[in-house]
Amino acid sequence: KFRIAGYFHPILVSREFGSEKSDLHMFRAAMKELNVKPNECLMVGDRLDEDMHAKRLGIWTCHARYGPRIPVVGRVCKPDFTISSIRQLPNIIDRIDGKMKHD
C-alpha cells in the first residue's frame, strides 16, 4: 500500500514461523540473518501485546499509533517510543543512533 517494502530487509511474517511475535523466534531469526545485535534493531508495530515484546531481547521498540486500533489480547509491553505518523520514524532512528554513540 505505501510502497515502502524496498526499504526493509528482511521482511519476516510471524505466521510463516508458526508463532506469534511475542514468541521472539522471528526476531532472533532476523538478527541472525542480518548479523546484528539487538540494540542495533528497531521493531515498529501497532500491537502493544505482541510487537513490543521484542524489547525483551534488547531490541528498540516503537508503537505505531496510526491506523485501525487493534484490541489488546495479551500481556502489554511498554514501548521505547510512540509515533502517530510514519513520518516521525527518521527522528526516532536519529535518537537511537545518538544514544548508541553515547554508550
Side-chain angles (χ1 to χ4, degrees):
K1 178 179 177 181
F2 297 109
R3 298 187 180 143
I4 59 175
Y7 295 97
F8 300 95
H9 176 78
I11 295 175
L12 303 174
V13 180
S14 58
R15 84 188 100 167
E16 291 175 3
F17 284 83
S19 64
E20 296 292 330
K21 288 176 261 184
S22 60
D23 180 40
L24 306 179
H25 178 69
M26 182 176 70
F27 299 112
R28 288 184 185 104
M31 289 186 294
K32 183 177 181 181
E33 182 173 332
L34 293 170
N35 194 31
V36 294
K37 299 173 190 163
N39 71 336
E40 298 172 323
C41 300
L42 172 64
M43 168 59 193
V44 180
D46 59 357
R47 300 267 320 257
L48 291 170
D49 58 339
E50 283 294 326
D51 305 338
M52 302 305 115
H53 285 279
K55 186 174 183 172
R56 293 176 17 216
L57 294 176
I59 294 172
W60 294 97
T61 57
C62 180
H63 180 220
R65 288 182 44 190
Y66 50 85
R69 297 283 187 249
I70 297 173
V72 174
V73 294
R75 191 178 123 238
V76 171
C77 191
K78 186 176 186 266
D80 297 301
F81 306 98
T82 299
I83 59 174
S84 57
S85 166
I86 198 162
R87 289 184 174 91
Q88 295 171 286
L89 205 48
N91 182 46
I92 298 298
I93 293 168
D94 288 343
R95 288 174 63 189
I96 291 171
D97 187 47
K99 288 180 183 208
M100 288 179 63
K101 288 179 181 175
H102 288 88
D103 286 343

